[in-house]
Amino acid sequence: MCPETFLNRQRGAGLPVALFVITVLALIVVSMAQQQESAGAAVGQQILSQRAFYAAESGAQVAVTEALDGGSCGSVPGSVNYTQAGLTGCSANLSCSSVQADIDGDSTLERVFTLVSVGQCGSGAEAASRTVEVRVR
């Protein structure tokens, strides 16, 4: 038997199978890379959102202190810009309203402050905002 006759009769599927396997593996690698990228972006947005919440919390604390010490909404600043390492680039916009109400039921009116703090971090597409509302008397 001649080797040439065997070569003429061979019909292999090696090349199509190899191309199919390479294509499937490339698609898997691309989808994993996209998933990793979106997971990284989600983590970054979560961190930015948490920083915005802490900015709003800190702003609410400032507003409570100023409202109770000053006795009126006029002493509450309109905004607070942070320069500390954890909140750099963040700010809190503050608003205040007050009402006189009988809280204890003894017909003595007390002043109740409603303080709203909106914390904002980042800018453009990468921005986060959180709101904290506090009532104190």
Side-chain angles (χ1 to χ4, degrees):
M1 300 211 144
C2 286
E4 293 176 8
T5 57
F6 288 120
L7 291 177
N8 291 337
R9 287 195 230 164
Q10 287 183 357
R11 298 209 173 138
L15 182 60
V17 169
L19 288 175
F20 176 75
V21 169
I22 289 171
T23 303
V24 169
L25 289 176
L27 289 173
I28 289 172
V29 168
V30 167
S31 68
M32 288 175 60
Q34 287 177 342
Q35 185 178 12
Q36 183 69 21
E37 183 180 341
S38 66
V43 168
Q45 188 63 32
Q46 178 65 29
I47 291 171
L48 198 59
S49 177
Q50 194 69 32
R51 289 179 63 214
F53 173 74
Y54 287 131
E57 277 282 320
S58 297
Q61 292 175 5
V62 168
V64 166
T65 301
E66 294 298 325
L68 293 179
D69 285 349
S72 71
C73 284
S75 59
V76 176
S79 66
V80 178
N81 293 316
Y82 299 103
T83 57
Q84 292 81 8
L87 294 176
T88 301
C90 297
S91 65
N93 295 321
L94 310 175
S95 64
C96 176
S97 62
S98 66
V99 296
Q100 295 282 351
D102 179 17
I103 296 175
D104 298 331
D106 60 0
S107 70
T108 304
L109 295 178
E110 298 174 327
R111 183 175 301 273
V112 178
F113 296 100
T114 301
L115 305 160
V116 178
S117 175
V118 180
Q120 297 173 336
C121 289
S123 63
E126 294 183 5
S129 176
R130 291 287 180 253
T131 302
V132 173
E133 182 174 331
V134 181
R135 288 197 176 100
V136 294
R137 61 181 175 130

